[in-house]
Each structure stands twice: as C-alpha cells, then as structure tokens.
C-alpha cells in the first residue's frame, strides 16, 4: 500500500463537488419513503407527467448537502428499464457540479471520454442550466451540471416535491465523502488511467491483494481524487483468494461493474448510528473481539469504546488522525450496493486497518447467501 498527496496531477477542467447521485429504481414512489424514514432525507424536487415529462419520474431528496435522485421509467422502452432489468435497483449516475459544461465536456471528450449525452444548455425564466454526460465503468455515467446561473429549485421541468410528513430520527448526515466503484478482473488500472487522463485526477492510495485479503477472498483498490479533495473515487477489482472475492459476488449479482458503496460523512457518528438503527437500518455485525485491544491498535480516541462496541462502529488511525466508520448490509435484495457512514477526525484514509474485521463479517454474510 502507498499513500501520497505529493502529486497533484493536472486537473483539466473545474470540478467542484459531487452534485447528486441518481438511482434507477423500479418504484421510486416507495423507495423515496425508505430514504426519508430510514436515512432522514427530505422531499426536494420532482419531475414526471404532471410537469411535462412523460417518459419517467424523478424524485429529488435532500439531506444537508446530499442530493439523491430516484428515477423510475414509465415504460419498457425507456433505457432505464433495460438498466433495471440487468442490474436491479442501483446507482446510474454520479454527477459532478462544474463550471461551463461545454468546456468540461469537450475537454473530457478530447482526451478519450466516451459521450453519453452532448451538452444541453436550457435558458428559461430561471436563467441558464447546463448538463452533459460521459460514460464510465459498467453502464454508469458521470453528468456535468452547471447551475451557477440558474435560479430555479433544481432543474428545468422540476417542481417542488410536496409529500405528507413522516416521522424519523434525525440522522445528522452531511455530505458525500466518497463513492466506490467495483470493476471487472484486471480492469482497475484501465479505469484508474481513464480518470487520470480524462479528469486529471490523482491516485493517492493504492492497495494490493496482500493488503486486503482474508483467509478466503481478496481485492485490489486504488483511490482517485480531485485537486480540491472534494471528489474521492476508490475503484476495486477482485483478486485471487481461496474462495470467491466479495467483489466478484458483486459483479455476478450486479451483472457487471457498478457502484459498490456511497460513503456519507457525519460529524457525530454515535448520534447518527443510534438514529439510523432506530430508523431501521441494518448494519454489518462486527465480532466483539474487534474491541478487545482497540486502544492498543488505534491509541487514545475521544469516543467511549463501549458505545462504539454497542453500535458496531469501527475505528482506524493513520499518521494524520483517525476515522470512525460503519457499513450497512446491502440496501436491496441483490447483494450489491451498500452505504458507509464515516466520521473523520484528521484521517483522510478509508479504514484500511478495518478491512480484516470487516471482510470477515462480509464473508459470513456471503457464506449465508451461498456465494463464498
Ligand atoms: Fe468506503
């Protein structure tokens, strides 16, 4: 493994933040209820037949700086229907907030990005809204969104989403920390080069199979980041172990490469996880022995170890500080996408020290599904 922040790369165009994550789901109306009552998202915007969009519905939910968009096609001829048939519910688009969509798009295409949709700049009474998209691993895309001169709520044809109140515990989630892709065998470096070449992102962490393996399964990983550190995109590929890698299980059930997990940042993980558990989130179980010599491994921390143990929260430390993290079980019936909740106290790592404990827990579940 190495971690480096010395090489800044050459960022070819200005990428500011994650703008939103768009899910293709077969029944957005019901999925929206889950993300509201379980993860504490609030209704934000909507488009569909009522707003002049006849092909699909999209619900935008907001939680502090996080925007999730849930899109359901309204007919079998919509490309989203093919996507859902193949992959099940999952993430289709990791969208970036940019300045000047045409410039970003042309710049990306010039260096080898594959187009998904050319720039469309809409000018209406709310101002100017720009979007375009390029393809990435699997059947996924990255949209470029420029709404810096747009005064509307979300995007053209979207209206405010009004839904009846529901009750849930406030989850204190703040923003997207990183989004991880799983790619096919021996494809990790292909996609690393793609992000380096197309975006000018830097690779700042790399793990080989020796770093991340348990008795049975293994993976390799690289982490790419934007110059301003606001976009962090780890990419995993399976590695050879005694039995099937968890990444391979994902690839089998997602039927190809795709987003494995979204990590969401909180500034009080104990509060967040207590609320999320009360709201009904299922997290991976962590063996009690993980906490036996935790302080020897990570040194002094601000949190009460008993509380961390009760909530199955993991801790890892590197030279710049520590982090606390926890992982949900898959959030749909296919063992594909899951969510990580993370609190950073100095560390910019990804919890490398927890991989052993974590993988043992994931493998236990994989075994129960008969996929190990
Ligand atoms: Fe993560």
């Amino acid at each position: 493994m190495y971690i480096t922040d010395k090489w800044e790369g050459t960022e070819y165009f200005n990428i500011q933040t994650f703008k939103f994550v768009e899910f293709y789901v077969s029944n957005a109306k019901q999925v929206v209820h889950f993300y509201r009552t379980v993860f504490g998202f609030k209704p934000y915007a909507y488009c569909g037949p009522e707003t002049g969009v006849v092909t699909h519905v999209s619900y935008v939910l907001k939680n502090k700086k996080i925007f999730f968009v849930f899109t359901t096609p309204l007919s079998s001829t919509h490309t989203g229907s093919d996507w859902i048939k193949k992959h099940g519910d999952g993430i289709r688009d990791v969208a970036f907030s940019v300045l000047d969509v045409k410039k970003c798009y042309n710049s990306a295409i010039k260096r080898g990005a594959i187009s998904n949709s050319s720039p469309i700049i809409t000018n209406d009474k709310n101002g100017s809204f720009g979007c375009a998209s390029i393809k990435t691993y699997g059947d996924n895309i990255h949209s470029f969104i420029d709404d810096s001169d747009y005064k509307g709520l979300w995007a053209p044809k979207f209206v405010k989403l009004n839904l009846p109140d529901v009750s849930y515990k406030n989850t204190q989630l703040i923003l997207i920390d990183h989004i991880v892709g799983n790619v096919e065998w021996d494809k990790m470096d292909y996609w690393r080069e793609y992000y380096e070449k197309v975006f000018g992102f830097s690779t700042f962490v790399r793990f080989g199979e020796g770093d991340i393996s348990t008795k049975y399964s293994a993976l390799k990983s690289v982490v790419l980041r934007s110059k301003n550190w606001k976009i962090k995109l780890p990419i995993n590929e399976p590695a050879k172990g005694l039995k099937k890698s968890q990444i391979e299980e994902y690839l089998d059930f997602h039927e190809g490469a795709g987003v494995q997990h979204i990590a969401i940042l909180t500034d009080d993980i104990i509060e967040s996880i207590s609320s999320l558990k009360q709201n009904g989130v299922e997290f991976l179980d962590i063996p009690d022995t993980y906490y036996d010599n935790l302080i020897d491994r990570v040194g002094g921390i601000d949190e009460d170890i008993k509380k961390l143990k009760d909530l199955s929260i993991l801790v890892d430390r590197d030279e710049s500080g520590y982090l606390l993290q926890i992982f949900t079980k898959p959030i749909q019936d296919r063992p594909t996408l899951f969510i990580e909740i993370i609190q950073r106290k100095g560390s910019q790592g990804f919890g490398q020290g927890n991989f052993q404990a974590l993988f043992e827990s994931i493998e236990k579940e994989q075994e129960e599904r008969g996929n190990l």
Side-chain angles (χ1 to χ4, degrees), residues 178 180 261 263 327 340 350:
H178 59 274
V180 183
H261 74 267
F327 299 83
E340 171 184 352
F350 295 85

Side-chain angles (χ1 to χ4, degrees), residues 160-305:
K160 186 171 187 296
L161 173 59
N162 290 308
L163 291 170
D165 286 345
V166 290
S167 59
Y168 58 88
K169 295 277 285 183
N170 187 342
T171 57
Q172 323 230 23
L173 305 178
I174 301 173
L175 53 84
I176 295 174
D177 184 88
H178 59 274
I179 299 182
V180 183
N182 281 345
V183 300
E184 300 89 345
W185 286 92
D186 302 321
K187 282 285 164 46
M188 181 182 78
D189 278 312
Y190 172 87
W191 289 109
R192 174 185 57 74
E193 281 171 23
Y194 183 85
Y195 282 97
E196 287 177 353
K197 196 173 115 199
V198 168
F199 295 96
F201 285 174
S202 321
T203 295
F204 80 110
V205 188
R206 187 179 183 99
F207 311 101
E209 59 255 71
D211 297 310
I212 313 179
S213 63
T214 59
K215 204 164 101 194
Y216 295 125
S217 73
L219 65 83
K220 295 185 211 170
S221 190
V222 291
V223 185
L224 292 129
R225 68 166 176 86
S226 62
K227 196 168 185 173
N228 68 5
W229 288 84
K230 292 198 172 160
I231 313 283
K232 284 171 279 183
L233 301 173
I235 298 174
N236 301 327
E237 72 176 18
K240 285 202 168 56
L242 281 178
K243 291 195 178 175
K244 188 189 265 187
S245 164
Q246 55 169 285
I247 308 305
E248 217 182 340
E249 188 199 32
Y250 174 99
L251 296 171
D252 287 351
F253 281 86
H254 186 75
E255 300 192 25
V259 173
Q260 180 208 40
H261 74 267
I262 310 179
I264 300 179
L265 199 70
T266 170
D267 56 10
D268 188 343
I269 199 163
I270 289 178
E271 275 297 306
S272 287
I273 303 310
S274 304
S275 299
L276 287 163
K277 287 200 166 178
Q278 287 179 58
N279 290 345
V281 179
E282 287 184 284
F283 291 98
L284 287 178
D285 300 320
I286 300 300
D288 279 354
T289 50
Y290 173 87
Y291 298 91
D292 288 352
N293 50 5
L294 184 64
I295 293 302
D296 297 342
R297 295 203 305 275
V298 301
I301 53 172
D302 303 333
E303 293 72 17
D304 175 0
I305 303 273

Side-chain angles (χ1 to χ4, degrees), residues 33-204:
H33 190 71
F34 174 83
Y35 279 90
R36 292 178 70 201
T37 54
V38 169
F39 285 98
F41 280 77
K42 294 183 172 61
Y44 192 71
Y46 170 84
C47 77
E50 303 85 342
T51 75
V53 176
V54 295
T55 51
H56 61 274
V57 293
S58 290
Y59 295 75
V60 183
L61 300 188
K62 179 178 191 285
N63 199 347
K64 296 269 178 65
K65 293 179 178 171
I66 313 159
F67 290 95
F68 281 1
V69 181
F70 298 98
T71 294
T72 292
L74 293 175
S75 79
S76 61
T77 53
H78 190 285
T79 51
S81 292
D82 297 328
W83 200 99
I84 294 165
K85 183 181 177 191
K86 184 173 179 190
H87 304 296
D89 288 7
I91 292 173
R92 148 78 166 167
D93 186 1
V94 173
F96 301 133
S97 183
V98 304
L99 291 178
D100 196 339
V101 162
K102 279 185 186 161
K103 189 178 155 207
C104 297
Y105 174 86
N106 291 335
S107 169
I109 296 294
K110 199 172 76 192
R111 281 186 312 283
I114 301 156
S115 177
N116 181 66
S117 61
S118 325
I120 298 171
I121 313 296
T122 306
N123 290 295
D124 63 19
K125 64 178 187 338
N126 290 313
S128 172
F129 183 93
C131 63
S133 58
I134 60 166
K135 295 185 177 179
T136 180
Y137 49 74
D139 292 321
N140 274 50
I141 62 169
H142 289 301
S143 284
F144 299 146
I145 306 292
D146 180 3
D147 59 2
S148 55
D149 288 322
Y150 188 73
K151 308 267 179 309
L153 177 69
W154 179 250
K157 295 198 172 170
F158 277 79
V159 294
K160 186 171 187 296
L161 173 59
N162 290 308
L163 291 170
D165 286 345
V166 290
S167 59
Y168 58 88
K169 295 277 285 183
N170 187 342
T171 57
Q172 323 230 23
L173 305 178
I174 301 173
L175 53 84
I176 295 174
D177 184 88
H178 59 274
I179 299 182
V180 183
N182 281 345
V183 300
E184 300 89 345
W185 286 92
D186 302 321
K187 282 285 164 46
M188 181 182 78
D189 278 312
Y190 172 87
W191 289 109
R192 174 185 57 74
E193 281 171 23
Y194 183 85
Y195 282 97
E196 287 177 353
K197 196 173 115 199
V198 168
F199 295 96
F201 285 174
S202 321
T203 295
F204 80 110

